[in-house]
Each structure stands twice: as structure tokens, then as C-alpha cells.
Amino acid sequence: PRYDAVGSSSLREELFETFIKTIKETEAQIHTTVTETETENEKKKRRERAVKEREEKVRLAQQQVERDNVRSKAGLNKKEAELAFNTLLIDHVRDPTASFSSAMSYLSSDPRFISISQSGSVPHSRLQAIYQAHIAHLRSKSSSALHSLFEGYAPALNLRWDELSPSAMESIAKSGVSKRLDVDTRITLESSHSSRKRNRPGIGHTGGSHSNRDDTDEEEAEMEPKYEYPALRQEFERWQRQRYNDARAAFDIMLSENAFVEFWGRVGKMGLTDDEEKRHLGKVVFAEENAEGAVPLEEDPVEGEGGGGTADLQALAKGIDVDEVERVLLRDKRYIVFDYMPQERKQWIIDYLSQLSAPKASVHVS
């Protein structure tokens, strides 16, 4: 009936076209709406992704800051723990011979050590290293004190341990520094009188009571115990060797620092040929004129400021011998310390002068 109600076929066609057009427009609107919705969703998702990415970056930055703070705090705690352990050692460990294990046996009860152990910021190997450094410092201080004690009894470089008096040895051995360094060990030496007693004929045979009493009195009067201190002897000899080496090095420095020695030592080489230099190397450089071993110097025809040029200087150098050099050095402690070996000291001066070379430039005397 609805079809028949539209009587004209052209009207039916027009209505159909209108219907089709309406459907297409509706579909287009629906498609547009869907597209817009999808676009909005994508934008929303992109915004959410951007926000998440920013949040992730912030989170990572915060984690890095936290890690840095933890690392910095741990480093600070480590320094504080090491400082506390050092303080603990200063308070309790004064024996330079104490081992790490023995020290830990009584340090472990100290609350400060317990706190250091619980923190875990300082490994066991580091504690050992700090302890060894502390012990080395104690030994250095004690050794310096012992060496000062040695110097009080043996100011000269050539004094040997055996030349110290028994009372001096005993005094050094009984000192607190010797005990701290554990070098006070003493052994008793057998006296020569005891040996003579065993080898003397008639000992052990029965005899008169008067004779036996005389022998006893003689033995008590003559027999005095003798002691040896092996560790102290070894430390003393090591100290003397080091003193000698230091003094010998200081002697050469003294020669190099002395302007008189340097100047005339070089002037004394002027006018020597290569062959003469080689021939006289190691021999006396300064010597009195016509003395044995003297180096002959040729007169320089070139006139100098004093009328004779380098010849003037050479003439002056000929008048200066090693004894003159020694007189210049006479009051220097680095020279005086070798008074006990004058010949060797003189030879050192000769050797030093022999290795000096002639000045390359003109030498002027003001």
C-alpha cells in the first residue's frame, strides 16, 4: 500500500534518489565521526606516551641522584670509619712489635671497633693496611729515639759496639725504647775465669779446707758475668753504617757547595794538555811548587787584568795545596766528623778536585 500510495513513477524515482543520498550522507558523517574519534584517541595516546617518557626520565634521574647520594654517603662513612680506627690505634696500640691478630683480640671489645665492624664500610684488608702503617710509624719514632740514645754514648762515627762500656750497654738495654722495640734481649757470656777453672789441674780433688776457701774467694772476686745484646748490636751497627753513608754524602755536598774549592779546583786545571790531564788524574791537583806529584803549569803569554792574565791565576793556584783547602773546611761539621781518618779524608778531597774541569770561560778576580 505504501508503494501504491506514490502514484507517479517519476516521484518514486526521485524519492529513491533522495533516500540513497541521505544514506550516503549519513555514512559519511559516521565515517567522519569515527575518524575524528580515532584521531583524538591517537593524540591522547601520544600525550600519554610523552607523559610516561618524561616520568621515566625523571625516575631515572632520581635514581641516579639517589645512587650518587648513597655512594657519597658510603665514602663519607668510610673516611669516618678509617679515622675512628686510626684514633682507636693511637689510644690503645703503643707497642711497635704487636701483631695485628693480637691487637684485634683486645680492640674487638671497644665500642668504636664494634661500630666500625658493623658498618662494613672498611674491608678487613684495609684495616690491616691502616694497622701496618700505624706500626711503621711507631717503629720509626722508637728507632729515632733509640738512635738518639746511641748517639749519646757513641758520638763518633768510628766507635764500635764492643768499645762501649758494659754499663753503657746495660743502660741502653734497660731503656724503655729498647724494650718497646724488643731489642733488649741479653745473653750471658762464659767468663774466661770459668774456663780457666775447668782446665786448672787439681780441681775436683779433695784438699785442705783452707785451700778450697781461698779458691772460692778468688773465684768470687775475679768472676764477673759478661753479657751480650745481639739485637742491640745489630741495630747499633746498622745505625753506624747509615750514619757513615750519610756523612760521606754530606762531605761531597760540602765540597761542591764551597766556592773556594770550586774556583781554585777549576783554575788549577788551566794550562794542562789532555795527556797531562790523563797522566795526573787522581793525583794531587793542588801542590806546593816543586813538591812531589805537583802539576807543572805553563806560563800564559797573554796578559790579564793583573798583568799576567791566566798566568796570574795559575801562579796563585800553584801556591794553594790540599792543606790550604783543608784549612778552609776546618770548621765545617761535615769535615770535622771525619777527624779520625785524616788520610782518607784528604784523598777524598784530592779525588774531588781531580774530577773538576778547567773553566770554559775567562775567570775574573775582583
Side-chain angles (χ1 to χ4, degrees):
R2 288 177 289 181
Y3 181 81
D4 291 337
V6 182
S8 172
S9 59
S10 58
L11 181 57
R12 291 191 189 104
E13 183 177 359
E14 183 179 351
L15 290 172
F16 180 78
E17 294 294 338
T18 301
F19 176 74
I20 293 299
K21 183 179 179 181
T22 302
I23 291 175
K24 289 182 178 179
E25 291 176 352
T26 302
E27 290 178 349
Q29 290 177 356
I30 293 172
H31 179 72
T32 301
T33 303
V34 171
T35 302
E36 290 177 354
T37 302
E38 290 178 351
T39 302
E40 289 296 328
N41 289 338
E42 289 179 358
K43 288 181 179 179
K44 183 178 180 180
K45 289 179 180 179
R46 283 198 298 271
R47 286 196 297 270
E48 290 176 351
R49 283 197 299 270
V51 171
K52 287 182 178 180
E53 288 176 358
R54 286 195 296 272
E55 290 177 349
E56 181 66 17
K57 289 180 179 179
V58 171
R59 187 181 65 82
L60 292 175
Q62 289 177 342
Q63 288 180 348
Q64 183 63 39
V65 171
E66 290 176 358
R67 283 195 295 269
D68 292 342
N69 289 338
V70 170
R71 191 178 298 112
S72 176
K73 186 177 180 181
L76 182 61
N77 288 339
K78 181 180 179 181
K79 290 181 179 179
E80 291 175 347
E82 290 182 355
L83 181 60
F85 186 63
N86 259 320
T87 304
L88 186 64
L89 295 178
I90 292 171
D91 291 343
H92 291 287
V93 182
R94 298 184 177 89
D95 182 5
T97 64
S99 65
F100 179 76
S101 57
S102 64
M104 290 303 102
S105 63
Y106 57 85
L107 290 178
S108 57
S109 60
D110 192 291
R112 290 173 293 179
F113 184 79
I114 295 174
S115 176
I116 294 170
S117 300
Q118 290 177 347
S119 69
S121 56
V122 184
H124 188 74
S125 59
R126 178 57 182 162
L127 292 179
Q128 283 185 311
I130 295 174
Y131 182 83
Q132 294 303 328
H134 176 72
I135 291 298
H137 177 67
L138 289 180
R139 287 197 67 87
S140 177
K141 287 179 60 179
S142 298
S143 295
S144 297
L146 181 62
H147 296 165
S148 297
L149 189 60
F150 284 159
E151 191 167 6
Y153 289 99
L157 288 177
N158 61 326
L159 190 65
R160 297 176 301 174
W161 174 257
D162 291 330
E163 294 173 338
L164 294 177
S165 66
S167 61
M169 294 181 185
E170 183 178 5
S171 178
I172 295 172
K174 288 183 176 180
S175 66
V177 65
S178 295
K179 295 182 184 298
R180 285 196 300 272
L181 289 171
D182 195 24
V183 292
D184 60 331
T185 304
R186 183 180 75 173
I187 60 175
T188 304
L189 299 178
E190 183 181 23
S191 67
S192 58
H193 178 75
S194 298
S195 301
R196 290 197 304 269
K197 176 183 174 182
R198 284 200 306 268
N199 297 328
R200 189 166 51 191
I203 297 297
H205 296 283
T206 59
S209 60
H210 181 73
S211 176
N212 289 338
R213 187 166 54 253
D214 289 344
D215 290 342
T216 301
D217 294 341
E218 182 184 352
E219 290 168 8
E220 290 178 353
E222 293 182 3
M223 193 167 112
E224 294 182 0
K226 294 184 178 180
Y227 303 106
E228 177 58 275
Y229 306 88
L232 270 178
R233 173 191 287 272
Q234 183 178 5
E235 185 64 27
F236 181 88
E237 291 174 350
R238 184 188 303 114
W239 168 72
Q240 280 288 49
R241 285 195 299 271
Q242 187 60 48
R243 283 183 76 202
Y244 177 86
N245 293 335
D246 293 343
R248 183 65 184 86
F251 187 88
D252 285 342
I253 293 174
M254 173 194 65
L255 294 177
S256 65
E257 291 175 348
N258 191 281
F260 181 90
V261 174
E262 191 73 11
F263 177 81
W264 290 109
R266 294 187 182 280
V267 170
K269 292 295 186 74
M270 295 172 62
L272 295 180
T273 65
D274 290 342
D275 291 339
E276 288 174 329
E277 180 73 23
K278 293 176 182 178
R279 186 167 60 253
H280 293 285
L281 184 63
K283 296 184 179 180
V284 176
V285 177
F286 291 148
E288 296 180 358
E289 190 172 3
N290 300 325
E292 183 179 357
V295 178
L297 297 172
E298 297 291 338
E299 290 294 331
D300 194 335
V302 180
E303 289 190 353
E305 295 178 0
T310 54
D312 288 344
L313 292 175
Q314 291 174 9
L316 289 172
K318 287 167 63 177
I320 299 173
D321 59 10
V322 178
D323 291 336
E324 183 69 25
V325 175
E326 289 191 296
R327 280 192 288 272
V328 172
L329 303 173
L330 194 59
R331 296 182 180 179
D332 196 304
K333 291 182 179 179
R334 294 168 291 185
Y335 176 88
I336 297 172
V337 74
F338 290 107
D339 280 348
Y340 69 94
M341 46 190 310
Q343 294 304 319
E344 290 86 347
R345 181 175 59 188
K346 183 186 292 286
Q347 187 60 46
W348 295 340
I349 296 174
I350 293 172
D351 292 342
Y352 179 82
L353 296 173
S354 68
Q355 55 86 29
L356 292 176
S357 59
K360 295 181 181 179
S362 297
V363 180
H364 299 278
V365 179
S366 57

